[in-house]
Amino acid sequence: MSSSASIQRHLEKIATRVFDSRDEGSKYVAREIASLIREKNKLGKPTVLGLATGSSPLLLYKELIRIHEEEGLSFKNVITFNLDEYYPMSPDSENSYHKFMHDNLFSHLDIDPDNIFIPDGTVTLEEMEEFCSAYENKIRSFGGIDIQVLGIGRTGHIGFNEPGSMLSDETRMVHLNEITIEDAAKNFGGEENVPRTAITMGIKSIFQARKIFLLGWGEGKADVIKQAVEGPETSDVPASFLQKHSDVLFVLDRPAASRLSRIESPWLTGECEWNERMKKKALIWLSHQTGKPILKLTEKDYKNRGLSSLLKTAGSAYDLNIEIHNSLQRTITGWPGGKPGADDKTRPERSEPFPKRVIVFSPHPDDDVISMGGTLLRLVDQGHDVHVAYQTSGNIAVFDDDARRFLDFVLGFSKKFEVAQDEVEKVYKEVTDYLRTHPDDGNGSSDVLSIKGLIRQGEAAAACRFCGVKEKNIHFLDLPFYETGTVEKKPLSSEDTDIIVNLLREVRPHQIYAAGDLQDPHGTHAVCLKAIFQALYQIKEEEWAKDCYVWLYRGAWQEWDIEDIEMAVPISPDELMKKRKAIFKHQSQKDVPVFPGKDSREFWERAEDRNRATAKLYDQLGLTEYEAIEGFRRHHFLDNA
Ligand code: F6R
């Protein structure tokens, strides 16, 4: 074994395999499961699977269904045990894991319903202990689990074994952790509706499986995966107990693996290929480690922190410091649309053509100003022809009460100005009646949703006006995939992409800005980005497209890593205040919005904290000190589309 492999193995105490996408990773696990079932079917023996719910195994289940349908794999001889179920929970309830498994897997297979075991969320507390030990006995009676599929929670839970769980725990009733409740809130329509307890197989029960696959997708899981794989074995991160199991594999996509040492700081774990990005990454890391700006780093700093090999490639610390300092400095520009007449060889954007036609895509009606309001203001001020395209209506994120308030306004308006009073009164009565009789379900009415959509349109238009965007350049795309009235969305279709293709053809932009939010796999941002990528794929051969730059901003409140920022747009204190005012135009999202997420700060506060933090990082590296910075990463769609 090479020394680098042994260092890696030393840091990674669990076997990991990193795939280019969650789709590939899921297909790999599906193949493993299918081949075991085939083998056992041949021998006339049952296969016992341990199954998980949640977003992690969804693509795996889809692939198993495909293998069953297209390759004829039979599940008649498969026994399944699910990890957990909320408690109390009736099996036919919308959020029960019984329903989840039925909808996403079992109803598509030829599995015998008698072979399906899922903890029963309807047992009484008195029956609980007996039920749990019977569940364990049942698993044992089938000879134990052959393959156990796991996801991992942000708390490090496997099953619902939250921090504090022990290796000796068997199936039992547990209390859910606060973070787990927060994560589940989206499906339950609010934290207050999430059950506080669940029944889960214990770590000991999971451990008895002969083979374990843990699926980890997305950046949101990266930190906890690092802790489980590289950290100490501790009940604070229950998944870390898997370090003791003899046959476990963490199947990860790149974002989920991104915090593993061999990816985050590969120079610490062995050989590393010193390309431009890696050099930047290493120097930013070294600067943070030593608390020194880049230009003050010494040879000793490099050598003491395991960066001798980098030093060798460059000759001296002095040269390397200057090279990386300059390349970071060059990402900073106050001219996001390019500086007319300037030498643009080392600038992020071309100076010509000037002015440029620009489309800013905003997944929800306020992401444009929240995420890149400072840049939007500059683009307009610098004379570019800026279009803003709101991809979804965002209608479910408005309180019923606000819809009601606007109805009152319209009624008052029609009376005051004596216009269409009868018609308005009719609609007013119908909608207010609906709201009164459906106090918790305004979104069940398409009229209420339309009113809410109009409220958000009005706010977005006000913000655009405030930023100087021309009225004719405001586009409300209302992509159909979003229009379900619930958090659950329809799959993306050609109807959605066609709308974007048409807009691109109409505007023929030189620059596109899009929310490159990769954090939440099923979130609206990721779907909106996919729609843009699919549209770009369709138009990439068109002449104008060859001269189009795509810039990705971060949709949520976190920023790109500094080494990935290719354009950093500084914001002065006055501009930051103006950006704040643009965000304030989104009144339905102010104070406490319908979907505040996991952060108690208001949207403008999150945006400012994030932009100030980015500026601080640049400052600490020894670059120019600004009040705030918005960061962008270029997407080379002609290569990638
Ligand atoms: C589900 C389960 C949980 C999930 C975990 C990750 O049966 O036992 O441990 O696997 O909470 O959830 P997702 O996959 O939704 O991120």
Side-chain angles (χ1 to χ4, degrees):
M1 188 194 307
S2 73
S3 65
S4 68
S6 66
I7 302 174
Q8 234 162 273
R9 187 166 289 186
H10 175 69
L11 282 177
E12 291 184 13
K13 301 171 198 160
I14 293 179
T16 56
R17 196 159 160 187
V18 185
F19 289 83
D20 280 340
S21 68
R22 65 190 65 192
D23 194 37
E24 281 178 36
S26 303
K27 283 185 175 151
Y28 166 77
V29 178
R31 275 196 302 276
E32 291 284 307
I33 293 178
S35 78
L36 182 75
I37 298 177
R38 276 196 195 101
E39 219 172 276
K40 292 229 165 184
N41 280 355
K42 252 191 232 153
L43 299 171
K45 288 190 176 160
T47 310
V48 186
L49 300 178
L51 298 177
T53 52
S55 63
S56 306
L58 279 175
L59 288 175
L60 163 67
Y61 295 159
K62 220 168 136 192
E63 180 63 7
L64 287 175
I65 294 167
R66 191 201 63 75
I67 295 176
H68 166 68
E69 286 172 352
E70 292 176 17
E71 299 176 18
L73 178 67
S74 172
F75 283 73
K76 280 214 171 76
N77 227 358
V78 172
I79 323 282
T80 64
F81 285 92
N82 261 80
L83 281 167
D84 41 19
E85 176 59 285
Y86 291 107
Y87 184 81
M89 179 62 71
S90 92
D92 44 13
S93 157
E94 198 48 39
N95 285 304
S96 83
Y97 283 167
H98 280 75
K99 182 163 174 2
F100 176 98
M101 290 307 297
H102 181 264
D103 292 354
N104 291 293
L105 188 66
F106 298 144
S107 65
H108 307 273
L109 304 176
D110 61 345
I111 190 165
D112 179 349
D114 289 344
N115 287 345
I116 297 172
F117 300 95
I118 304 178
D120 181 356
T122 65
V123 292
T124 62
L125 284 173
E126 291 71 43
E127 295 161 338
M128 184 65 75
E129 211 179 308
E130 204 183 320
F131 172 81
C132 292
S133 73
Y135 201 72
E136 291 284 336
N137 287 336
K138 201 77 194 165
I139 300 176
R140 274 192 280 274
S141 74
F142 285 104
I145 289 171
D146 292 309
I147 294 184
Q148 174 68 54
V149 175
L150 297 176
I152 181 168
R154 279 199 302 145
T155 58
H157 71 212
I158 46 177
F160 274 140
N161 294 283
E162 299 287 16
S165 302
M166 308 295 281
L167 193 49
S168 52
D169 286 333
E170 297 198 326
T171 303
R172 69 208 185 286
M173 187 178 124
V174 289
H175 288 270
L176 297 180
N177 181 292
E178 266 177 44
I179 297 179
T180 302
I181 292 172
E182 261 180 31
D183 285 345
K186 186 172 153 215
N187 296 332
F188 283 86
E191 270 179 39
E192 60 286 5
N193 305 323
V194 181
R196 270 27 192 179
T197 43
I199 305 173
T200 183
M201 276 166 58
I203 311 232
K204 182 172 173 197
S205 341
I206 293 172
F207 235 74
Q208 283 159 356
R210 283 180 274 283
K211 192 177 187 72
I212 300 177
F213 290 110
L214 183 144
L215 313 179
W217 318 128
E219 215 181 329
K221 299 285 169 76
D223 284 331
V224 77
I225 282 169
K226 182 188 171 83
Q227 289 176 44
V229 173
E230 295 183 9
E233 198 189 296
T234 160
S235 69
D236 292 345
V237 183
S240 67
F241 284 125
L242 295 172
Q243 292 174 9
K244 274 221 169 77
H245 193 277
S246 59
D247 191 356
V248 56
L249 182 70
F250 276 29
V251 179
L252 310 172
D253 63 2
R254 293 192 182 282
S258 63
R259 296 284 174 237
L260 293 178
S261 297
R262 73 175 143 119
I263 294 172
E264 193 172 46
S265 44
W267 48 88
L268 292 180
T269 60
E271 294 301 314
C272 137
E273 193 198 320
W274 288 113
N275 56 28
E276 192 58 24
R277 180 176 178 276
M278 198 56 83
K279 283 196 233 168
K280 254 191 203 175
K281 198 175 165 72
L283 256 73
I284 292 166
W285 175 85
L286 187 59
S287 162
H288 288 159
Q289 292 284 314
T290 55
K292 290 182 183 179
I294 290 178
L295 291 178
K296 285 193 183 169
L297 294 170
T298 62
E299 295 209 356
K300 209 162 143 201
D301 292 327
Y302 279 73
K303 286 182 181 154
N304 284 350
R305 310 269 173 166
L307 283 169
S308 303
S309 75
L310 172 59
L311 209 49
K312 265 191 225 141
T313 65
S316 76
Y318 180 83
D319 290 341
L320 202 55
N321 292 350
I322 291 188
E323 179 194 328
I324 299 302
H325 174 91
N326 288 352
S327 110
L328 284 167
Q329 184 70 42
R330 285 196 293 264
T331 61
I332 303 176
T333 179
W335 296 84
K339 187 172 184 182
D343 175 1
D344 59 7
K345 273 199 288 302
T346 57
R347 289 177 172 275
E349 250 300 345
R350 305 143 295 165
S351 45
E352 304 298 331
F354 184 87
K356 289 187 173 61
R357 288 186 299 275
V358 178
I359 301 184
V360 174
F361 282 102
S362 181
H364 297 101
D366 52 358
D367 293 308
D368 53 342
V369 283
I370 289 174
S371 299
M372 56 164 288
T375 306
L376 178 66
L377 283 162
R378 272 184 188 249
L379 287 165
V380 174
D381 288 348
Q382 291 169 359
H384 298 286
D385 184 27
V386 180
H387 293 248
V388 184
Y390 297 100
Q391 293 181 270
T392 68
S393 67
N395 55 13
I396 62 166
V398 177
F399 288 108
D400 288 353
D401 188 44
D402 282 336
R404 171 62 208 256
R405 194 159 56 83
F406 276 83
L407 273 167
D408 286 347
F409 172 83
V410 176
L411 185 66
F413 182 95
S414 83
K415 282 189 179 150
K416 182 102 194 154
F417 294 95
E418 296 176 4
V419 281
Q421 286 182 56
D422 292 348
E423 292 90 330
V424 169
E425 250 168 51
K426 183 168 168 282
V427 177
Y428 180 88
K429 187 170 175 335
E430 275 168 20
V431 182
T432 48
D433 277 353
Y434 183 89
L435 286 172
R436 194 170 31 77
T437 49
H438 298 77
D440 297 321
D441 182 30
N443 291 350
S445 147
S446 60
D447 288 342
V448 173
L449 282 171
S450 299
I451 293 165
K452 291 181 173 181
L454 283 172
I455 292 174
R456 297 214 67 181
Q457 281 194 8
E459 293 168 347
C464 275
R465 265 196 304 279
F466 180 78
C467 294
V469 177
K470 293 187 193 111
E471 211 84 29
K472 71 170 180 52
N473 285 1
I474 308 173
H475 309 268
F476 294 105
L477 306 185
D478 288 347
L479 294 184
F481 87 87
Y482 182 90
E483 296 305 313
T484 57
T486 66
V487 172
E488 223 41 60
K489 303 297 180 217
K490 286 183 275 188
L492 197 64
S493 77
S494 57
E495 251 189 299
D496 302 290
T497 9
D498 286 352
I499 293 174
I500 296 178
V501 167
N502 290 341
L503 180 71
L504 291 173
R505 290 203 170 121
E506 181 193 322
V507 178
R508 289 179 293 115
H510 303 104
Q511 267 198 334
I512 289 172
Y513 290 86
D517 199 336
L518 315 168
Q519 172 92 357
D520 176 5
H522 299 290
T524 298
H525 286 213
V527 182
C528 284
L529 184 64
K530 195 169 171 196
I532 296 173
F533 284 172
Q534 287 180 358
L536 288 172
Y537 185 77
Q538 287 187 40
I539 54 84
K540 72 175 181 157
E541 299 300 336
E542 295 175 22
E543 207 40 45
W544 65 269
K546 304 208 165 91
D547 191 31
C548 178
Y549 276 27
V550 176
W551 292 102
L552 300 181
Y553 61 85
R554 278 295 226 182
W557 47 92
Q558 85 280 31
E559 191 49 273
W560 297 111
D561 288 337
I562 299 283
E563 64 270 20
D564 290 324
I565 293 182
E566 290 169 271
M567 178 161 75
V569 180
I571 312 178
S572 71
D574 286 348
E575 284 168 326
L576 198 61
M577 186 49 82
K578 201 157 176 207
K579 168 172 173 168
R580 184 191 296 184
K581 286 185 180 156
I583 299 173
F584 281 178
K585 299 293 174 198
H586 293 274
Q587 296 207 337
S588 67
Q589 307 304 303
K590 255 203 69 57
D591 304 327
V592 182
V594 179
F595 298 111
K598 294 157 190 154
D599 194 324
S600 60
R601 292 169 301 170
E602 281 199 41
F603 290 124
W604 65 272
E605 292 175 296
R606 300 177 198 187
E608 286 184 16
D609 288 352
R610 158 187 167 184
N611 297 156
R612 284 205 177 94
T614 310
K616 191 145 185 68
L617 287 174
Y618 270 76
D619 180 28
Q620 283 163 351
L621 294 170
L623 297 148
T624 316
E625 185 182 350
Y626 292 102
E627 174 72 9
I629 285 181
E630 287 172 350
F632 301 87
R633 183 176 175 177
R634 200 170 147 205
H635 172 69
H636 296 266
F637 75 100
L638 292 175
D639 308 336
N640 300 336

